[in-house]
Amino acid sequence: RWVWQPARGCLLSFSSLSSSFQAVFDLLIPDHAADAFSPPRLPEPGAYDLLLERLLGGLAHWDAEHFLFIAERGYLYEHNCAFFPLYPLSLRAVADGALWPLRQLLCLRSRLLLSAVLLNSLFSVLSAAALYRLGCAVLRCRRTAFLAALLFCISPANVFMAAAYSESMFAFLAFSAMWQLEKGQSWLSTLLFSLATGVRANGLVNAGFFLYSRSKSFALQLQVGSGSVRKLSLLWRQLLSVASSMLLTCAGICLPFALFQYYAYMRFCGPGLELAVPEPLQQLALDKGYRLVSPNGVKPPWCSQRFPVVYSYIQDVYWNVGFLRYFELRQVPNFLLALPVLLLGSWAAWTFIVANPRHCLTLGLERRKKKQEGKPRAGFCCPAVFVYVVHATALLALGFFCMHVQVLTRFLGSSSPLLYWFSAHLLQGHEAWLWKEGSPGGGHPLVRLLLRYRSMTAVGRCVLGYFASYWLLGLVLHCNCLPWT
């Protein structure tokens, strides 16, 4: 309850603020005619549908169009397969279940949009609570974990937590799985990580947490004991046990990805079924060059590959995603948009490396000396943060060199707790008044931050300014379909 009430209130207030602001921006700023997926509305919307679109339509741009379309009509176009099925299935379940009484007032797409807003609000609150629990387990400092959970509520990625994107569901599953792994609940953690892979493809990277955990346990076991013949005779048995455990957990995490690729192969490369596709959707495919499911048509090129993976094909052909492909002069504004999160992530990694050079050089596999075992460090620089630094750095490098760099903010914000932990670490280290009794704000750290902004240090202003200004900038860009390039 200590974190639940403030986090819930903060997230609900920011969700309401996001909804209000996006409606205002949608009215004041004309939408940019972006060359993005925007299918026609079938059937024609009614009066209540138009009202809901006016209030929440700003949350249904860009990738949100794909999720809503998939939830409504399934994987009709080939490039829809870049978006994984668990989130659209959840939207459809809520629209046909909890919102079923509204079917006389709202069409299916409107109920799906309303479902997205409700589900994402719930998952955002649960993500903040899971992040707090994870911070307590890893950092061993309730205050830093609490402030990190509050910063999560106002992060720039919060825009995509409110829109019809899968980030909020993924953040909840990923943070919960990390917390369960820290508690030693391996099978529950595997299940949650597996579900996360069914939401977003970068869930595959989470297998690294299990690989590191098992490797570290095995390495520490080898460093304990006298190395007797009896123990040496059991070495291969222990090694096989660890290897089989790694293989099973990694297979469980990767299974949703493999199953979805198989589904896409059967849908677009198999014999298929005759589908009644409305004429406007067929015309959209002709105008934009989208490939429809066709039982008798020419099969896509990826069907004949040795490993027919539709996800990598779509990223390559439809969005030109690949190593250094985004390094063009006209993409400089996008690199500027990603610069703050690049600097913050790099600063976090460097701070941890400087504080723990030996731990990083030995990859955390060296057993601590007895004189150090009784004095575990707390906070961001504690050794337990190492694997999260590696995870965030890997995602940062992947996003910078191989992806559309402007997605880095939401990519890291929904996948890694490191940015929130490091920002909380900076504020706690440079703003000593934050935790003093009698400070303005009635004792609530977030309110104190806002009230004391003018008297904060340069570091505190930069951290809070980044979270607040980029939240507003992302809201305007997304909700008005403004160009990123």
Side-chain angles (χ1 to χ4, degrees), residues 403-433:
M403 297 171 56
H404 293 182
V405 73
Q406 68 268 21
V407 307
L408 267 180
T409 299
R410 63 182 176 94
F411 184 58
L412 257 71
S414 61
S415 306
S416 172
L418 190 77
L419 296 182
Y420 308 112
W421 289 346
F422 182 62
S423 299
H425 166 76
L426 290 177
L427 289 175
Q428 197 170 4
H430 290 82
E431 308 298 334
W433 54 268

Side-chain angles (χ1 to χ4, degrees), residues 114-257:
L114 186 57
S115 300
V117 173
L118 296 176
L119 269 183
N120 286 6
S121 298
L122 173 63
F123 283 128
S124 296
V125 174
L126 295 177
S127 300
L131 179 61
Y132 166 72
R133 296 298 184 186
L134 175 62
C136 289
V138 175
L139 306 177
R140 297 187 181 92
C141 180
R142 290 165 63 95
R143 286 182 172 181
T144 306
F146 178 64
L147 184 55
L150 289 176
L151 289 174
F152 172 82
C153 302
I154 62 170
S155 76
N158 184 271
V159 177
F160 303 97
M161 302 287 180
Y165 277 53
S166 59
E167 267 71 9
S168 58
M169 176 182 278
F170 183 83
F172 164 64
L173 292 171
F175 294 161
S176 299
M178 295 172 191
W179 174 42
Q180 294 299 327
L181 185 60
E182 293 290 342
K183 290 170 57 181
Q185 302 291 333
S186 299
W187 290 108
L188 180 56
S189 181
T190 302
L191 175 62
L192 292 171
F193 273 138
S194 180
L195 292 174
T197 307
V199 178
R200 291 183 58 85
N202 60 291
L204 294 171
V205 183
N206 293 329
F209 286 101
F210 276 99
L211 295 177
Y212 180 76
S213 177
R214 295 294 183 269
S215 301
K216 183 178 180 181
S217 299
F218 183 67
L220 295 180
Q221 286 178 8
L222 293 180
Q223 299 174 54
V224 178
S226 59
S228 63
V229 177
R230 180 176 177 273
K231 288 193 174 183
L232 288 176
S233 65
L234 296 176
L235 179 61
W236 281 105
R237 185 180 300 176
Q238 294 175 353
L239 185 59
L240 288 174
S241 175
V242 171
S244 61
S245 176
M246 288 181 176
L247 184 62
L248 286 174
T249 52
C250 289
I253 294 174
C254 298
L255 182 61
F257 181 88

Side-chain angles (χ1 to χ4, degrees), residues 344 347 423 426-427 429-433 449 452-467:
L344 189 62
W347 188 9
S423 299
L426 290 177
L427 289 175
H430 290 82
E431 308 298 334
W433 54 268
L449 283 174
R452 292 289 296 270
Y453 178 78
R454 296 184 63 183
S455 61
M456 291 173 68
T457 64
V459 172
R461 287 190 179 188
C462 287
V463 172
L464 190 60
Y466 161 68
F467 276 76

Side-chain angles (χ1 to χ4, degrees), residues 143 431-445 448 452:
R143 286 182 172 181
E431 308 298 334
W433 54 268
L434 188 61
W435 304 107
K436 291 181 180 179
E437 296 295 333
S439 297
H444 197 298
R448 293 184 194 179
R452 292 289 296 270

Side-chain angles (χ1 to χ4, degrees), residues 224-453:
V224 178
S226 59
S228 63
V229 177
R230 180 176 177 273
K231 288 193 174 183
L232 288 176
S233 65
L234 296 176
L235 179 61
W236 281 105
R237 185 180 300 176
Q238 294 175 353
L239 185 59
L240 288 174
S241 175
V242 171
S244 61
S245 176
M246 288 181 176
L247 184 62
L248 286 174
T249 52
C250 289
I253 294 174
C254 298
L255 182 61
F257 181 88
L259 289 177
F260 183 59
Q261 301 311 301
Y262 177 75
Y263 165 81
Y265 179 84
M266 295 303 297
R267 188 165 179 82
F268 288 92
C269 304
L273 299 174
E274 190 68 39
L275 298 177
V277 180
E279 194 277 333
L281 298 181
Q282 295 184 29
Q283 188 61 43
L284 178 67
L286 291 174
D287 294 340
K288 296 291 186 178
Y290 300 152
R291 190 186 299 276
L292 278 165
V293 174
S294 176
N296 302 315
V298 178
K299 303 304 178 186
W302 58 271
C303 294
S304 58
Q305 295 176 355
R306 185 174 182 181
F307 298 101
V309 179
V310 66
Y311 181 77
S312 58
Y313 173 81
I314 293 171
Q315 296 290 345
D316 177 26
V317 174
Y318 284 89
W319 288 299
N320 194 33
V321 172
F323 183 65
L324 298 183
R325 290 190 183 180
Y326 220 56
F327 282 68
E328 301 175 349
L329 186 61
R330 65 189 181 95
Q331 302 298 346
V332 169
N334 284 326
F335 279 90
L336 293 176
L337 282 172
L339 184 61
V341 72
L342 282 169
L343 294 177
L344 189 62
S346 303
W347 188 9
W350 178 252
T351 301
F352 183 86
I353 293 172
V354 170
N356 303 275
R358 185 178 181 86
H359 189 82
C360 294
L361 286 174
T362 59
L363 302 180
L365 302 180
E366 183 184 39
R367 189 167 179 266
R368 301 176 66 198
K369 297 179 180 180
K370 290 185 177 180
K371 62 181 181 180
Q372 297 175 333
E373 288 181 353
K375 301 177 181 179
R377 278 188 293 170
F380 176 78
C381 292
C382 70
V385 180
F386 172 73
V387 66
Y388 297 94
V389 172
V390 175
H391 174 250
T393 304
L395 293 180
L396 198 65
L398 176 66
F400 182 74
F401 291 107
C402 302
M403 297 171 56
H404 293 182
V405 73
Q406 68 268 21
V407 307
L408 267 180
T409 299
R410 63 182 176 94
F411 184 58
L412 257 71
S414 61
S415 306
S416 172
L418 190 77
L419 296 182
Y420 308 112
W421 289 346
F422 182 62
S423 299
H425 166 76
L426 290 177
L427 289 175
Q428 197 170 4
H430 290 82
E431 308 298 334
W433 54 268
L434 188 61
W435 304 107
K436 291 181 180 179
E437 296 295 333
S439 297
H444 197 298
L446 182 58
V447 179
R448 293 184 194 179
L449 283 174
L450 298 176
L451 293 179
R452 292 289 296 270
Y453 178 78

Side-chain angles (χ1 to χ4, degrees), residues 2-12 125 128-129 146 149-150 153 444:
W2 186 66
V3 69
W4 179 258
Q5 295 295 339
R8 181 179 64 181
C10 184
L11 267 171
L12 291 179
V125 174
F146 178 64
L150 289 176
C153 302
H444 197 298

